[in-house]
Each structure stands twice: as structure tokens, then as C-alpha cells.
Amino acid sequence: MNKIWLITKREYVTRVKNKTFLLTTFLAPIGFLLFFLALGFVMSRGSDDLKTIYVLDEQNLLNGELSGRENLEFKFSDSSLDQLRSQYETDQFAGILQLRSIDRDDIAKYDILWHSDDQLALDESQSIERVVRRKVRDYKLKALDIDESKLESLDTRINIIPKTILADKEVSSMTGVVGSILGGIVGYALFFIILIYGMQVMRSVMEEKINRIVEVLISSVTPFQLMMGKVIGVGLVGLTQIGLWAILFPVIFAVGSTFFGIDSSPEMLDMANNPDIPEEVMAEGMDKVAVILREIGNMNWLMILPLLIFYFLGGYFAYASLFAAVGSAVGEDINEAQSLTLPIMLPLMFAVYIGVSAINAPDGDIVVWASIIPLLSSIVMPVRLPSDPAAWQIILSVILLVGFVFFFTWLAGRIYRVGILMYGKKASFKELWKWIFYKG
Amino acid sequence: MHILTLDNIVKQYSNHLAVDHISFNIPKGSIFGLLGPNGAGKTSLIRIITTITAADSGTVLLDGQALASAPPLLVGYLPEERGLYKKMKVGEQLLYLAQLKGLSEKEARENIKLWFEKFGIEDWWNKKIEELSKGMQQKIQFIATVLHKPKLIILDEPFTGLDPINTNLIKDEIHRMNDEGTSIIFSTHRMEQVEEICKDIVLINQGKIVLEGSVKDVKDQFKDNIYRIEFDGHLPANLQSSDFKIIDDNRESLTIQINEGYDSNELLRSLLNEGIQIRSFNEVLPSLNEIFIKQVENASHE
């Protein structure tokens, strides 16, 4: 045990002190920030030049009111279309928007003509369409003699409110959704952690094999101790990195957004400032946020949190030791490593796909079974956890995962102890299979 | 008392028998040569002693104890294929390896300091391994092997890649540790080093013991009763006898093979009678190298 700790310590310390670790840990949040700043810059610039657009409103449908994006200047004109078109070349305006008279009151479609050699940008045309749609609606209401308040009373919002029968707890329409999305985030995070740090375990094993220190090491410790120390050490590095990111990302983003004076979510502000969104929708949005927060608070964290940690550890150990086994089996040839990691990647990918479908249907047949089968369960079960799976499923899944973690680390250990001393032999699956049964 | 006892060790790999019923004892405090050509089974045998692999059958007693499943801490092993963490600092690396051998951090630090002083490399602590030359790395590797003061040190080709000065440095340390009671297994196919360093040897080939015993006994066993005489004066041209045969004659020296049962004193006496001035009279023993080649070639012809 003491020796595993020594190996873990070395693995952790050398990795955390490594320049690559420091760079990825501290530069990744800054990189993301720069990326978003650049994105915001591009999006806000896009078409920053002021554009003048002449509007020919033949029926005075707009009543002289038309607004769109800030860079668009609308000029209502009484000139004829031909006259405006002839000025296009000399006057250098962006184009002519022609709104023709509406001849029937019940038209389902209304065409606006855009005379120009340039296209309107997508958001430009959308903002124009939005204004015109409302004006046409107003026009139709008047023309068809419809009382607006009566029309609104036709609208009904539908909610499905769950009421439990046997279970003794409070649920709302959001319970399932909030739970699954949270679980989905955990599942995805686990997928990436297993992938990134599992690969690191593999590289670390390959490194020791290639620089030949491994024979010195295993004349001091057992191969199993060496493998476990490595798996734990790299895992702790992973947790450290994630922990640092959890602190650094918000801090750097907060600092970055105040420093550059850019709102991190221009879209949201747009929505909030947009007078087109009726107030009750806004209120509903706020309601939902409150419900979601309440739901998160309502979850049985005492049960979920330990289980999340359990599935995280179980999944990491099972996969990381398999990666270690592959690392021990290959030599310097990274291509060989790729073909051997494929069978490890497959269940991982499969689990993620099932996990995604579990967000929509946490109690589907395949999802339930995948949440019990080891290797899949580590990613699928966390998605299901917040939506309260049956107790027997959790218990079975936990027992199987514990058993399989021991089995996989044992299996990986068997391959590892032979593989690290095997040079110049091409590692095939048949070969690995034989190694498992080698004596000693 | 023996530091190591091997009894009927067998190790079978999928397509060949690497160790074929090998038994021998290594007395405490000896420098023991484990010899054999490449692929003879030396490394397989060492790996069994260090529990890196397990024997299929047979028993190993290390200092009177049967091997456990964990590597024995009283052994220090310098593998032929050696390496260190290239990016790690010399001091940290030695500290780590010594702790893996069961030393406390404090003990390890003290021992490393002693060895650094001994080799005059006190300022190497913060150097990275990759900054060192190959020979220097090998010195570090040697220190790593002996830091925990093992009772049995196994050195697999310890001098490859070392210049003569460093070879002597390490050789002296081996002798010094041996004087302090440490047993040493020296595995090699470089025979001139064996004659110089080892007292007892075992020669294995194709997994079997071909020869064993003290270096002197082995040489005696293979001597051809050849003597070399250096002299002044003139020998009669018709010097001949049914008791010996002249192999080589170049006026100032003679190489003579005497028949079984004939005494070297008799030869000397009859030569004295010829009226020449004898300057030296030596028995010509075969070098281990010759014995080695002969034995290995015999085995492969069979």
C-alpha cells in the first residue's frame, strides 16, 4: 500500500509540475475566453457599415415605422421604383425594399421585394420580416374586423403537472428534465475525463516501457502496484485539473467580460430588450428558471452525490486500467496502440449515445439495461440518477460495477505484468489472451 | 551458508525452454559469475530470482527464505536493459527508487549524499537525466542499484558503455562492497572481466548448466598440460621424446604439451640437462574465453 502511495505521489508531482499541465490548465480558460471574445467580435461586427435602405410602402402599411438592426437606416420614399432604381448606381444606397399593396384580406403569404445587387444578411432580413409580419397582422385584424382581445382569449398554454400516487415526494413538470440534463452533463464530463486521462495512463505506461526503467521498477514493486499507483496518480491529476478549471473558468470569464466590456451573452440581452416578446413569455421564462433552481435544490443529493462519485471512480478505474494494459502491450508504435484501444473506445462511445437517449427517456428498456451493465453503467446511470431509478437497478448496477472493476484491474494487471517486459513482439488480441494465463 | 539456492528451476516460454532444471548454490560473500552466450537463459534466471517472473517449477531460497510474491528488498538488481526517467532530476529519481526499495526518505537522502561524495558528483542533484552522458547515467543507475545496501547485488553486464576509468571505479566499489560482506552475482559474456572479478562461476547454455565451480577448478579441468619455457642458449635440433610433444618452437621459447602421467618436474629436469639458461617456466592454462567458446560450440554441434 505504501508503495502504491509512493508511485502515486511521483506520478502526481511530476505531472502537476510539468509545463504542459500548467499550460493546459491555465491557458485553456484564457483560450476559451479569447475564442468567445473573437466570436462576439465577429458577430457584432459582421455588417457594421451603415446601410441606407429606401422603403417603398405602396399602401402605407408600415405607417412610416420600420426598425431593424442598428446599422440599418430606413428612408421612406415617395419616388417611383424606376426612379429609385436609376439612382442606385450614383447614390450608393444598399437597396430598395418594396412593399406592394395587399389586394386580398386573407392572404397567407406576403412577398416583399428587395431590389439590390447585394443580399441582405440573415439577421437583417429576419428583423425586417418580424416587423412587417406584425404590421400585416394589424392590418388584417382591422380589415377582417376581429376583436384583438377575443383573439387572445383563444390562446391556451398547456402544462402537464405530475402528481405522485405512491411515492412520497414533491415533483413538478420540470423534475425529469432538470434531472436528466444534470445527469447528462455528468455523463459527458465522465466520458471526456476517461478518454483524456485514460490515454495519459496509457502514454505513461508506454514511456516507462520505452525508456526501459520498468525492469528496475518491477524489481522493487509488483507490476500491479505500479499500475495502480499510476492509475490513481493520473486520476488525481485529472481531478486537480478539473478543480482548477471549476475555479478558473468563472473567474477568467468574469474578469475578461468586465475588462473588455463585452456581454458574455448578447443573445439573451437581445431577447430581454426585444419589445416583440410578450411579457407573459418573459415571466414564464423567469418562472422556469425558478422552478429549475428549486428542482435542483429538491433532488436527493445525499443519495445522488455519493453515487455520482462512485460511478465516476468505478468508470475511471475500469477504463484506465484497460488503457494501462494496452500501453504495456505496445512498444513505440502509436498506430498499434490505436488499433488496440478501439475495443475500449467502442463501449465508451456506445455508452455516450445511450446516455444521450437516456436524457429523453430515462426509463427506456435499453437505457435501463445499459445503466446496469458495467463499462456502460458509469456513463448511463449518472444520467438516470436524478430521475429516481428503481432501487434494485441501482443496487444491481453498483454490485456489478464493483465486481467488474476488480475483475478488470486484475485482468489488466495480468496483461500488464507480461506486456511491460515484452519487446519486439507484435501485440495481437490472441497474444494478450495468452498473457492473461501466463504463470507468475 | 548460502545467500542463494536454486533447486531444479524450470521456466518454459511458449516456444522454448528458457531454464531447464537448473540448480546451484551461491555462498554468502562471494562474487559469482553467471555466464552464458546471448539467449542462454541468464536473464530469465535473474528475473525469477527478482520475482519479475515466476518459475514453472523448482524452488528458490534467498538468504534461507523462500521467495515471496513481492520483489525481495534484500536484492539490488541492475538490469542489462536499463533506463531512468529522462526528465526527472537525478536526486529525486534516486530518492524515489530508494524509497521503493523500502528506505525512509531520510535514510535515502543520507545514502545518496554518501554516494555522491564517493563519486565526486555532489552538484548533480538537480541535473536532469537527459542532460547526462550515457556513462554518467550508468553511474547513477549503479547507485540506484546499491543505495538500499542490499545483501545480494545482481549486475547484468554492468560495464557496457563505461570508459576504463569508470569501469575501474565501479569495479573498486564492487570489491569494496564484497569486502563488507555483500554477495554479488555478475552476469556477463565478457570473460576477461570474469577471470578478474569472480571466484566461482556457472556457465549456462540453452537453459542448462554446462560448467560450474571455482574459476581455478574450471581452468584445471580444461588444461591441456601445456607448458611454456623461455630460455637463452641453443637447444639441440633433435629434441624429441615419447613423453611430450613440442607444439611451438621459436628459438627463445618453447611450447610443450606433456603426456598424461608425465610430470612437469621431469620435463624441467630434462631441459636443464640440455644446457640452456631457463628464464621462465609456466603452465599455460586455457582462458575462460577459450573454455566458454569451446563449450558453447560443442553444445551447438550436438
Side-chain angles (χ1 to χ4, degrees):
Chain A
M1 209 51 214
N2 185 31
K3 292 199 175 168
I4 295 184
W5 165 240
L6 279 171
I7 297 160
T8 300
K9 198 172 88 179
R10 190 205 80 89
E11 198 72 32
Y12 183 83
V13 171
T14 43
R15 264 162 204 286
V16 169
K17 277 207 234 153
N18 193 302
K19 280 193 206 84
T20 339
F21 176 83
L22 295 175
L23 283 179
T24 51
T25 308
F26 291 96
L27 287 188
I30 294 173
F32 268 101
L33 178 69
L34 290 178
F35 174 74
F36 280 117
L37 284 178
L39 201 68
F41 183 72
V42 168
M43 294 227 312
S44 64
R45 284 293 283 251
S47 45
D48 230 15
D49 320 335
L50 197 66
K51 280 187 187 170
T52 306
I53 293 172
Y54 280 99
V55 184
L56 274 180
D57 189 0
E58 291 168 11
Q59 201 177 3
N60 198 16
L61 190 66
L62 302 180
N63 207 6
E65 295 166 17
L66 179 59
S67 58
R69 288 201 25 189
E70 279 169 28
N71 64 319
L72 299 181
E73 187 198 6
F74 294 103
K75 282 185 179 163
F76 287 84
S77 171
D78 295 330
S79 317
S80 76
L81 178 66
D82 289 339
Q83 201 180 345
L84 281 173
R85 282 177 69 105
S86 65
Q87 288 169 5
Y88 179 70
E89 198 179 352
T90 50
D91 284 12
Q92 301 241 317
F93 52 86
I96 310 152
L97 210 56
Q98 186 191 5
L99 283 80
R100 291 173 300 179
S101 296
I102 298 175
D103 44 10
R104 284 168 51 203
D105 294 337
D106 56 350
I107 47 163
K109 181 167 157 272
Y110 180 64
D111 293 329
I112 306 169
L113 301 182
W114 169 242
H115 302 270
S116 173
D117 290 344
D118 298 318
Q119 299 284 310
L120 279 172
L122 186 65
D123 56 340
E124 289 168 349
S125 58
Q126 274 175 343
S127 67
I128 294 168
E129 277 166 27
R130 207 159 45 218
V131 177
V132 175
R133 188 187 303 121
R134 203 157 33 111
K135 293 290 183 182
V136 171
R137 184 173 176 273
D138 288 348
Y139 168 82
K140 277 171 143 187
L141 281 173
K142 213 184 281 170
L144 295 170
D145 199 18
I146 297 170
D147 187 351
E148 171 130 32
S149 60
K150 274 189 183 165
L151 189 68
E152 266 168 27
S153 65
L154 281 178
D155 258 350
T156 319
R157 215 153 34 93
I158 310 296
N159 274 335
I160 297 180
I161 313 270
K163 292 283 172 197
T164 53
I165 300 172
L166 295 175
D168 177 28
K169 63 167 196 163
E170 223 180 296
V171 285
S172 76
S173 54
M174 301 295 289
T175 303
V177 183
V178 173
S180 301
I181 289 174
L182 272 182
I185 293 171
V186 173
Y188 253 113
L190 191 61
F191 167 73
F192 282 111
I193 290 166
I194 287 174
L195 203 60
I196 294 169
Y197 298 104
M199 287 285 187
Q200 284 202 15
V201 170
M202 186 177 86
R203 291 235 179 76
S204 167
V205 172
M206 283 170 73
E207 186 204 330
E208 278 176 5
K209 185 176 171 181
I210 292 166
N211 73 19
R212 306 259 181 177
I213 195 173
V214 72
E215 195 163 348
V216 175
L217 294 177
I218 59 172
S219 67
S220 307
V221 299
T222 63
F224 188 75
Q225 287 172 327
L226 186 57
M227 187 182 87
M228 280 324 270
K230 202 169 275 300
V231 168
I232 297 171
V234 173
L236 287 178
V237 174
L239 287 180
T240 308
Q241 193 161 44
I242 292 163
L244 283 174
W245 277 342
I247 299 166
L248 282 175
F249 264 96
V251 169
I252 288 182
F253 267 65
V255 170
S257 51
T258 43
F259 188 74
F260 290 98
I262 288 172
D263 293 307
S264 46
S265 52
E267 302 287 303
M268 291 284 276
L269 274 171
D270 241 21
M271 290 250 293
N273 292 337
N274 200 328
D276 295 343
I277 297 174
E279 261 176 36
E280 67 264 33
V281 177
M282 285 294 294
E284 201 187 334
M286 297 307 282
D287 254 9
K288 275 196 174 165
V289 173
V291 171
I292 288 171
L293 287 177
R294 202 176 61 226
E295 281 306 328
I296 292 177
N298 269 354
M299 268 172 214
N300 190 358
W301 287 109
L302 271 182
M303 186 194 80
I304 293 177
L305 213 56
L307 278 174
L308 282 183
I309 294 170
F310 168 80
Y311 280 104
F312 174 86
L313 291 178
Y316 173 72
F317 271 96
Y319 278 101
S321 45
L322 289 180
F323 274 113
V326 168
S328 77
V330 296
E332 274 133 278
D333 191 358
I334 194 82
N335 291 328
E336 216 178 317
Q338 266 160 1
S339 70
L340 282 177
T341 47
L342 190 69
I344 308 176
M345 302 291 282
L346 282 179
L348 203 56
M349 308 285 239
F350 196 48
V352 167
Y353 284 119
I354 297 176
V356 170
S357 72
I359 294 174
N360 292 324
D363 289 317
D365 273 351
I366 296 178
V367 173
V368 168
W369 285 110
S371 70
I372 291 171
I373 297 168
L375 281 190
L376 302 179
S377 64
S378 302
I379 286 171
V380 180
M381 192 51 116
V383 184
R384 292 189 64 216
L385 274 181
S387 37
D388 253 336
W392 70 268
Q393 294 168 359
I394 298 181
I395 293 168
L396 184 59
S397 163
V398 165
I399 292 172
L400 282 178
L401 185 56
V402 170
F404 267 73
V405 165
F406 279 105
F407 175 67
F408 276 126
T409 43
W410 173 83
L411 193 76
R414 302 285 295 181
I415 296 174
Y416 181 85
R417 107 213 118 97
V418 181
I420 40 176
L421 291 174
M422 210 55 96
Y423 292 95
K425 200 174 210 175
K426 198 157 167 52
S428 62
F429 287 112
K430 206 178 135 204
E431 200 66 38
L432 295 192
W433 182 251
K434 271 199 270 171
W435 294 355
I436 293 171
F437 301 104
Y438 271 10
K439 196 175 175 241
Chain B
M1 194 57 196
H2 298 124
I3 185 76
L4 183 72
T5 305
L6 299 183
D7 186 23
N8 248 330
I9 304 293
V10 177
K11 179 74 184 176
Q12 169 90 49
Y13 286 112
S14 49
N15 44 6
H16 77 290
L17 198 56
V19 180
D20 186 1
H21 297 92
I22 282 188
S23 310
F24 60 81
N25 295 319
I26 299 180
K28 255 184 197 166
S30 70
I31 303 185
F32 188 88
L34 178 61
L35 320 176
N38 297 324
K42 295 187 303 264
T43 302
S44 296
L45 208 53
I46 292 172
R47 284 182 176 175
I48 290 168
I49 299 166
T50 49
T51 71
I52 290 172
T53 51
D56 296 336
S57 67
T59 50
V60 179
L61 293 184
L62 195 59
D63 204 16
Q65 304 274 315
L67 283 183
S69 58
L73 297 181
L74 54 93
V75 174
Y77 172 37
L78 177 71
E80 182 179 8
E81 295 287 358
R82 38 192 164 253
L84 296 163
Y85 291 111
K86 291 192 171 51
K87 307 249 174 228
M88 225 174 155
K89 286 174 182 162
V90 171
E92 283 171 17
Q93 184 138 226
L94 287 173
L95 210 53
Y96 172 61
L97 293 173
Q99 281 177 284
L100 286 187
K101 276 292 186 192
L103 252 55
S104 72
E105 197 185 326
K106 192 166 157 277
E107 284 174 292
R109 233 173 244 284
E110 285 166 4
N111 290 1
I112 294 169
K113 258 195 203 140
L114 281 178
W115 279 99
F116 274 19
E117 282 163 21
K118 203 172 273 175
F119 284 177
I121 52 172
E122 290 93 332
D123 55 341
W124 280 18
W125 186 283
N126 280 323
K127 280 193 180 165
K128 282 184 182 169
I129 291 293
E130 60 187 355
E131 296 168 18
L132 302 179
S133 74
K134 249 195 149 170
M136 287 164 152
Q137 291 183 22
Q138 197 134 323
K139 264 196 215 169
I140 300 298
Q141 192 108 41
F142 179 77
I143 295 176
T145 309
V146 299
L147 255 185
H148 63 291
K149 297 179 178 156
K151 284 186 180 173
L152 174 64
I153 299 174
I154 303 175
L155 305 169
D156 199 350
E157 302 290 358
F159 302 120
T160 39
L162 282 182
D163 60 32
I165 295 169
N166 282 315
T167 303
N168 276 338
L169 191 71
I170 303 276
K171 227 182 262 175
D172 290 346
E173 284 308 322
I174 292 174
H175 282 299
R176 194 190 53 76
M177 285 187 291
N178 181 243
D179 289 342
E180 289 171 3
T182 311
S183 313
I184 289 152
I185 296 179
F186 179 43
S187 166
T188 187
H189 51 256
R190 303 276 305 274
M191 292 306 139
E192 71 283 1
Q193 291 170 353
V194 178
E195 288 193 45
E196 200 184 324
I197 296 174
C198 300
K199 203 169 137 271
D200 300 293
I201 59 158
V202 139
L203 172 63
I204 59 176
N205 188 31
Q206 297 175 350
K208 288 195 187 83
I209 291 183
V210 184
L211 266 180
E212 63 179 314
S214 72
V215 173
K216 187 179 167 297
D217 290 348
V218 168
K219 283 188 160 190
D220 277 349
Q221 192 185 329
F222 283 88
K223 68 178 181 185
D224 293 318
N225 297 321
I226 293 175
Y227 293 85
R228 185 183 171 82
I229 305 104
E230 290 184 356
F231 61 92
D232 291 326
H234 291 283
L235 271 178
N238 62 345
L239 183 67
Q240 256 179 1
S241 164
S242 56
D243 295 323
F244 56 83
K245 188 168 79 191
I246 296 173
I247 298 174
D248 188 37
D249 176 5
N250 69 357
R251 286 193 194 146
E252 285 171 0
S253 73
L254 266 183
T255 309
I256 294 175
Q257 184 171 30
I258 61 174
N259 290 343
E260 205 68 46
Y262 189 65
D263 195 343
S264 55
N265 284 355
E266 299 271 345
L267 172 66
L268 190 55
R269 211 170 283 131
S270 64
L271 285 173
L272 286 170
N273 290 338
E274 299 295 339
I276 52 170
Q277 184 74 36
I278 292 184
R279 283 192 282 119
S280 72
F281 184 82
N282 287 319
E283 180 167 22
V284 179
L285 287 173
S287 70
L288 275 183
N289 205 33
E290 288 163 347
I291 299 172
F292 177 91
I293 290 170
K294 209 188 245 175
Q295 288 301 304
V296 171
E297 276 178 350
N298 279 349
S300 57
H301 286 313
E302 274 165 16

